[in-house]
Amino acid sequence: MSNERRQLDKDIHFFWDDLNLAQKFSVAELQRFGYDLLFVRHIANGSLAVLCSGSKMAAIDIEGQINTEPRVTIRH
């Protein structure tokens, strides 16, 4: 039986170590506005933190820049 990471029940602490300092500050800022960290996607030039608040999504790049209209495909 295969346990995929995305099937596990996770909280922010599971992904926190995958973020750099700039991303952690940006995640904390978005949390003030009701966003929750969904996952961290590892990409060629670093990692991308993906958050949501209701139907709104946001992504934070390796430099800590927040994108409130990301092009992120989420698997169900």
Side-chain angles (χ1 to χ4, degrees):
M1 178 189 273
S2 171
N3 267 343
E4 292 187 38
R5 277 180 40 166
R6 68 177 186 245
Q7 291 176 341
L8 301 174
D9 185 27
K10 300 178 197 80
D11 61 18
I12 188 172
H13 302 291
F14 184 86
F15 298 111
W16 198 248
D17 290 337
D18 291 337
L19 302 175
N20 65 30
L21 187 59
Q23 289 171 313
K24 288 177 182 180
F25 277 111
S26 294
V27 167
E29 185 67 21
L30 285 177
Q31 286 178 321
R32 293 180 46 216
F33 296 99
Y35 281 82
D36 294 313
L37 180 60
L38 292 179
F39 59 88
V40 175
R41 183 167 289 167
H42 298 281
I43 55 178
N45 59 344
S47 59
L48 183 72
V50 179
L51 301 89
C52 79
S53 176
S55 63
K56 299 182 289 184
M57 302 235 4
I60 302 171
D61 68 15
I62 193 74
E63 296 176 356
Q65 296 296 311
I66 298 170
N67 179 354
T68 56
E69 295 182 11
R71 294 184 188 187
V72 176
T73 302
I74 298 179
R75 301 175 287 204
H76 296 286

